[in-house]
């Protein structure tokens, strides 16, 4: 755990050598199922696919991976949209602005690739209240919900953010 403010946070593209550390972050997610297997498969597929339309980034301090986030075209690709996924910050480094730095990087990536929207599935708003409020503060809004998508009372809540000012 850091005993002074974290000022040496570095962001870079996810690499194969980061897999173990990133899966360690995934393991910190409180879930009734083991998410590391599906995350590992997704991340390995991204690394292996030279045509992968998306990016995954890691935040590091002194070479140690402390956060990750990615984005991709999603299941129904659009030339205007990227879907953000797997925003995870090591529990010891939360409240240091790591998540905001990762989002800024994803937004820059999306804009550089001429995307105008960033979307995500926030999951269960009641269980993920802090994540929900974080996304609202960062310009996202709920644009849709699929009730009971993940299970009884486990709704898929779609949030979106326009990356282009409408003014």
């Amino acid at each position: 755990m850091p005993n002074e403010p974290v000022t040496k946070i570095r962001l870079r593209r996810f690499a194969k050598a980061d897999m173990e550390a990133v899966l360690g972050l995934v393991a910190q997610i409180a879930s009734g199922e083991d998410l590391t297997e599906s995350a590992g498969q997704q991340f390995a597929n991204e690394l292996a696919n030279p045509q992968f339309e998306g990016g995954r980034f890691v935040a590091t301090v002194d070479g140690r991976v402390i956060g990750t986030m990615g984005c991709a075209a999603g299941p129904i690709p659009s030339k205007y949209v990227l879907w953000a996924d797997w925003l995870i910050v090591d529990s010891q480094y939360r409240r240091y602005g790591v998540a905001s730095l990762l989002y800024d990087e994803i937004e820059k990536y999306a804009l550089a690739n001429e995307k105008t929207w960033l979307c995500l599935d926030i999951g269960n708003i009641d269980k993920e209240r802090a994540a929900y409020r974080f996304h609202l503060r960062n310009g996202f809004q709920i644009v849709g919900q699929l009730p009971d998508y993940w299970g009884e009372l486990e709704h898929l809540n779609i949030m979106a953010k326009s990356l282009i000012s409408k003014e």
Side-chain angles (χ1 to χ4, degrees):
M1 177 176 230
N3 32 359
E4 61 185 55
V6 178
T7 57
K8 299 178 182 176
I9 299 170
R10 304 283 184 252
L11 299 179
R12 62 174 171 75
R13 292 295 294 252
F14 171 72
K16 187 176 181 178
D18 299 320
M19 186 69 81
E20 183 177 344
V22 169
L23 292 180
L25 294 174
V26 172
Q28 290 184 17
I29 298 172
S31 175
E33 62 182 281
D34 179 8
L35 300 174
T36 57
E37 185 177 332
S38 62
Q41 185 175 35
Q42 177 184 336
F43 303 159
N45 289 343
E46 291 171 3
L47 288 169
N49 180 357
Q51 281 80 41
F52 172 64
E53 184 186 353
R56 183 156 312 282
F57 300 89
V58 293
T60 65
V61 170
D62 297 326
R64 178 176 177 235
V65 174
I66 62 163
T68 189
M69 185 176 186
C71 61
I76 306 171
S78 164
K79 67 180 182 176
Y80 304 107
V81 177
L82 283 178
W83 285 79
D85 67 8
W86 296 105
L87 172 60
I88 312 166
V89 176
D90 186 300
S91 59
Q92 296 179 341
Y93 288 87
R94 293 185 184 143
R95 307 256 180 241
Y96 286 97
V98 177
S100 294
L101 290 171
L102 285 162
Y103 253 116
D104 289 346
E105 194 69 17
I106 292 293
E107 287 184 21
K108 284 189 250 178
Y109 178 87
L111 287 168
N113 286 279
E114 301 178 352
K115 304 300 180 180
T116 56
W117 288 92
L118 195 56
C119 298
L120 58 97
D121 164 27
I122 191 65
N124 186 316
I125 291 173
D126 296 322
K127 288 183 181 177
E128 303 295 338
R129 206 71 185 156
Y132 172 64
R133 287 192 302 262
F134 171 82
H135 288 92
L136 286 176
R137 283 191 310 271
N138 284 281
F140 285 82
Q141 59 183 321
I142 291 186
V143 295
Q145 181 185 77
L146 295 173
D148 301 328
Y149 186 86
W150 302 111
E152 187 175 342
L153 299 176
E154 293 288 332
H155 313 315
L156 180 138
N157 291 287
I158 300 168
M159 296 188 85
K161 177 181 182 176
S162 175
L163 300 176
I164 306 297
S165 175
K166 303 285 186 195
E167 297 174 10

